[in-house]
Amino acid sequence: MDRKTVIKSKLQGIESYNPEHITALEEHLSWQIINNDYDFEANLALLRLYQFYPERFNAECARLVLLKAIISMSHSDFTLCKYLIHLEHLSEEPLSQVVELGFLLETCRFSEFWTKIKENPKVFSAIPGFRESVCRFIVQIISQTYQRISKPLLMSFLDMSENDLKQFIKQFEWSEITDHHNQLILINNHEENIKSIQIRERVNFDSITSMSGAFRPSKSDFFIKT
């Protein structure tokens, strides 16, 4: 069995609340960092054990779990992990800065996110592929939101130089255009992706005749009441 399967087998039923598994889960988290892998359920189990056994809480492990959740490209992962950590810990370093980074990404304040990263690059230095994963997340949001975007704004969102952006444009098959001397990147034509749906309602004669009785007036209705 692979490592994830072994960990999962240890967390069945009531065993998921066994504090003896904390060390194994922390080691599994380190394995995820080294191998650039992700095991959301195991990380969630670790945070849950920290809830039940606060004396075993490890702020550094919690920080790494949150960072892994941020780059998972799943909003719900980060939110669920955050809810399992006591507010007192979230408001203190080293977690408060990670929470702020997650909030900036959630609210699509990408330029501010990169500014915070530059202020303290050590925040993500322990996570291989952190920058690349964040860029993929931002690209996903941009692709769903924009048809075209100004080149300077896109460079700001991705924190990229013009040369690096050219590689991204080629990778995602975007195109660069000029409109009234403005440099624009054509991201997506959403109108081409709209699929029309043809709805047909089939009403046969038998169904009409069966309903007609409901609208047929009674004999008394033919007489005018005075």
Side-chain angles (χ1 to χ4, degrees):
M1 292 190 295
D2 63 14
R3 188 182 184 93
K4 288 184 179 180
T5 305
V6 172
I7 292 294
K8 185 177 181 179
S9 65
K10 291 182 178 181
L11 301 174
Q12 298 299 314
I14 197 171
E15 280 299 308
S16 62
Y17 300 96
N18 188 342
E20 294 181 2
H21 296 317
I22 290 178
T23 300
L25 288 170
E26 290 175 342
E27 292 175 352
H28 183 53
L29 175 61
S30 298
W31 176 86
Q32 294 174 58
I33 302 298
I34 295 171
N35 293 276
N36 196 18
D37 207 325
Y38 184 54
D39 191 343
F40 171 65
E41 294 298 333
N43 295 343
L44 210 62
L46 177 60
L47 295 181
R48 193 179 297 114
L49 285 170
Y50 285 157
Q51 267 194 327
F52 283 98
Y53 305 96
E55 70 280 1
R56 299 285 300 274
F57 181 78
N58 186 320
E60 178 59 18
C61 285
R63 183 183 76 90
L64 293 175
V65 168
L66 288 177
L67 286 172
K68 292 293 287 184
I70 283 178
I71 64 175
S72 69
M73 298 179 68
S74 171
H75 165 72
S76 59
D77 284 15
F78 179 73
T79 302
L80 286 172
C81 289
K82 190 170 60 175
Y83 286 161
L84 287 177
I85 301 175
H86 196 281
L87 186 61
E88 181 181 343
H89 295 306
L90 291 176
S91 59
E92 298 175 348
E93 292 292 351
L95 301 187
S96 59
Q97 192 168 23
V98 179
V99 171
E100 183 180 9
L101 291 175
F103 173 75
L104 292 175
L105 279 181
E106 286 178 341
T107 52
C108 299
R109 293 156 64 179
F110 304 130
S111 300
E112 293 180 53
F113 171 85
W114 294 117
T115 299
K116 289 292 182 182
I117 287 292
K118 290 174 182 176
E119 290 175 358
N120 190 359
K122 292 182 179 180
V123 171
F124 68 93
S125 59
I127 308 293
F130 181 84
R131 171 178 282 273
E132 292 78 8
S133 297
V134 170
C135 284
R136 285 198 299 270
F137 171 78
I138 295 174
V139 165
Q140 184 183 60
I141 299 299
I142 290 173
S143 298
Q144 294 171 351
T145 309
Y146 288 89
Q147 286 188 331
R148 57 178 64 186
I149 184 173
S150 72
K151 189 175 182 178
L153 182 59
L154 183 59
M155 291 170 60
S156 172
F157 280 176
L158 296 172
D159 190 40
M160 285 186 176
S161 65
E162 190 168 357
N163 288 333
D164 290 337
L165 185 62
K166 286 181 180 179
Q167 297 298 322
F168 245 63
I169 292 173
K170 184 178 180 180
Q171 179 181 349
F172 292 98
E173 299 181 346
W174 296 341
S175 55
E176 188 172 352
I177 60 175
T178 302
D179 184 17
H180 297 93
H181 305 292
N182 295 320
Q183 289 182 303
L184 301 174
I185 307 300
L186 185 62
I187 302 294
N188 196 3
N189 188 348
H190 295 288
E191 294 177 357
E192 293 180 354
N193 296 328
I194 297 175
K195 297 181 179 179
S196 60
I197 300 176
Q198 187 175 8
I199 301 175
R200 294 182 179 179
E201 295 185 6
R202 296 183 178 181
V203 181
N204 55 39
F205 181 76
D206 291 337
S207 62
I208 294 176
T209 54
S210 64
M211 291 187 296
S212 62
F215 302 100
R216 186 180 302 157
S218 62
K219 292 181 180 180
S220 60
D221 291 334
F222 284 104
F223 297 95
I224 300 176
K225 297 179 180 180
T226 58

